Amino acid sequence: AKGLGRNTLCYFDPDMQASVSANAAVGAALRVGLREKQFVVHYQPQVDRQGAITGVEALVRWQHPEKGLVKPADFIPVAEDTGLILPLGMWVLETACEQLAAWASREQTAHLSIAVNVSVYQFRHPNFVDMVMAAIQRTGIRPHRLKLELTESLLADRMEITIQKMGMLKELGVTLSLDDFGVGYSSLSCLKRLPLDQLKIDKGFVADVLTDPNDAAISRAIIALAQSLSLQVVAEGVETQEARDFLAYLGCDQFQGHLFAPALPIETLDAFLRNPSPD
Ligand code: C2E
Ligand code: CA
Ligand code: CA
Ligand code: CA
């Protein structure tokens, strides 16, 4: 068996074969799911340094008839590979705008923002800016309440087009956030050229920020960088009071994580907004 060598694995990898057909099955099921309206948006609160809720992040879930509630990690990559991220992503965006419109009519919720994750595939679509504009106009929301979370992978290439498109989104009045910051490889010089409002520290750095000196150093550097560029900085995945306090000490503006609340169905969130800490 040794004689076959390593390369044999490249010619036939049964695991890879299995995952290709599994992805095809998921893709077909996703198509059905979109048609049958099996997706739901959950909302995770974001709080400021005083602990007040400033907004939420929209996180999609798939309410599968047999599998139950499926997490995005199990279908977003397939949605991206199949192009279905375009209709799915637009549906999430439209749903978020409708929710913002509903909140705008009540004094206690009128100030809240909703952050929506935008995959590179959506952002690159030639009509993306028009589709965002149409959703804002149709729902009549104040555009700055809509926050688009873009990922660092956008910065890997085609910088000029990316900067131009982000500029068009800023002209619409939406808020722009750079998600999962620190995971990728965006250079500081390109960061300076982007019309951003916010950086988000990935939960991969936040999880061990108290025990791993590397994670603490990275978090500290990201916050200092954000401050020097006049960007807001949000930490995600905050699970303990100690981590929240340390990040606040470093200068973090906003926090999101299980310490405050997980992603919640809209009914639960509405109850939570009325009474954030029931006792
Ligand atoms: P993300 O944008 O980094 O979102 C944060 C993830 O961390 C969410 O996972 C959230 O539920 C989870 N999280 C929040 N607080 C904590 C915490 O204290 N501890 C831990 N361990 N986790 C926490 P979720 O909802 O499973 O989403 C995973 C990813 O799927 C998201 O990561 C995002 O990249 C993607 N995603 C979710 N919804 C959408 C969407 O509508 N469109 C696109 N393109 N991607 C989406
Ligand atoms: Ca996000
Ligand atoms: Ca993240
Ligand atoms: Ca670590």
Side-chain angles (χ1 to χ4, degrees), residues 44 57 60-61 72 92 117 179-180 203 236-237 239 257-258:
Q44 185 175 34
E57 178 175 3
V60 70
R61 274 97 182 84
V92 173
N117 292 284
D179 204 1
D180 297 342
K203 64 175 182 288
E236 71 172 21
E239 295 186 350
H258 294 161

Side-chain angles (χ1 to χ4, degrees), residues 113-214:
S113 65
I114 300 185
V116 173
N117 292 284
V118 176
S119 94
V120 177
Y121 300 80
Q122 284 177 276
F123 183 89
R124 297 265 192 243
H125 191 278
N127 290 341
F128 180 65
V129 177
D130 289 338
M131 292 190 285
V132 173
M133 183 167 70
I136 291 170
Q137 286 175 346
R138 190 177 63 76
T139 51
I141 59 162
R142 308 268 307 276
H144 70 279
R145 303 250 179 263
L146 177 65
K147 191 184 293 175
L148 300 181
E149 292 197 356
L150 310 174
T151 59
E152 257 185 307
S153 45
L154 263 185
L155 313 179
D157 62 349
R158 287 181 271 178
M159 271 294 282
E160 296 309 321
I161 296 176
T162 300
I163 292 171
Q164 190 190 11
K165 223 171 199 182
M166 286 174 70
M168 290 164 79
L169 291 166
K170 282 309 299 172
E171 271 171 41
L172 290 182
V174 303
T175 303
L176 296 183
S177 180
L178 194 58
D179 204 1
D180 297 342
F181 189 73
V183 176
Y185 38 80
S186 58
S187 76
L188 303 185
S189 58
C190 82
L191 196 62
K192 207 174 61 184
R193 299 173 59 203
L194 304 175
L196 284 168
D197 302 289
Q198 184 181 83
L199 289 184
K200 259 186 117 165
I201 309 177
D202 188 64
K203 64 175 182 288
F205 303 116
V206 172
D208 302 322
V209 75
L210 293 175
T211 53
D212 183 333
N214 292 321

Side-chain angles (χ1 to χ4, degrees), residues 9-279:
L9 287 174
C10 297
Y11 297 121
F12 179 72
D13 180 341
D15 286 347
M16 198 188 269
Q17 196 64 34
S19 80
V20 166
S21 45
N23 281 1
V26 174
L30 271 176
R31 212 163 267 121
V32 173
L34 275 165
R35 199 172 56 225
E36 310 273 319
K37 304 197 187 316
Q38 293 170 357
F39 293 90
V40 288
V41 177
H42 285 188
Y43 298 93
Q44 185 175 34
Q46 300 178 325
V47 305
D48 65 15
R49 294 172 67 94
Q50 280 70 47
I53 299 174
T54 57
V56 296
E57 178 175 3
L59 294 158
V60 70
R61 274 97 182 84
W62 185 4
Q63 187 65 67
H64 191 280
E66 283 121 43
K67 293 181 197 148
L69 205 62
V70 183
K71 289 272 196 169
D74 295 333
F75 63 87
I76 292 284
V78 180
E80 290 178 332
D81 287 346
T82 51
L84 292 169
I85 193 68
L86 291 173
L88 178 61
M90 273 319 293
W91 176 80
V92 173
L93 187 83
E94 297 268 348
T95 303
C97 289
E98 281 162 18
Q99 190 56 52
L100 281 171
W103 281 344
S105 61
R106 262 185 49 223
E107 202 197 314
Q108 307 97 297
T109 51
H111 64 286
L112 298 172
S113 65
I114 300 185
V116 173
N117 292 284
V118 176
S119 94
V120 177
Y121 300 80
Q122 284 177 276
F123 183 89
R124 297 265 192 243
H125 191 278
N127 290 341
F128 180 65
V129 177
D130 289 338
M131 292 190 285
V132 173
M133 183 167 70
I136 291 170
Q137 286 175 346
R138 190 177 63 76
T139 51
I141 59 162
R142 308 268 307 276
H144 70 279
R145 303 250 179 263
L146 177 65
K147 191 184 293 175
L148 300 181
E149 292 197 356
L150 310 174
T151 59
E152 257 185 307
S153 45
L154 263 185
L155 313 179
D157 62 349
R158 287 181 271 178
M159 271 294 282
E160 296 309 321
I161 296 176
T162 300
I163 292 171
Q164 190 190 11
K165 223 171 199 182
M166 286 174 70
M168 290 164 79
L169 291 166
K170 282 309 299 172
E171 271 171 41
L172 290 182
V174 303
T175 303
L176 296 183
S177 180
L178 194 58
D179 204 1
D180 297 342
F181 189 73
V183 176
Y185 38 80
S186 58
S187 76
L188 303 185
S189 58
C190 82
L191 196 62
K192 207 174 61 184
R193 299 173 59 203
L194 304 175
L196 284 168
D197 302 289
Q198 184 181 83
L199 289 184
K200 259 186 117 165
I201 309 177
D202 188 64
K203 64 175 182 288
F205 303 116
V206 172
D208 302 322
V209 75
L210 293 175
T211 53
D212 183 333
N214 292 321
D215 291 342
I218 291 168
S219 299
R220 186 190 294 271
I222 293 173
I223 292 166
L225 177 69
Q227 287 174 341
S228 72
L229 296 172
S230 301
L231 302 175
Q232 285 257 315
V233 53
V234 185
E236 71 172 21
V238 180
E239 295 186 350
T240 64
Q241 186 65 41
E242 292 72 21
R244 180 259 165 232
D245 290 347
F246 181 62
L247 290 158
Y249 158 77
L250 293 180
C252 194
D253 300 295
Q254 285 180 37
F255 312 89
Q256 177 182 344
H258 294 161
L259 173 63
F260 308 99
L264 301 167
I266 187 61
E267 307 79 34
T268 318
L269 175 71
D270 270 332
F272 186 84
L273 289 173
R274 278 168 232 271
N275 186 13
S277 50
D279 42 20

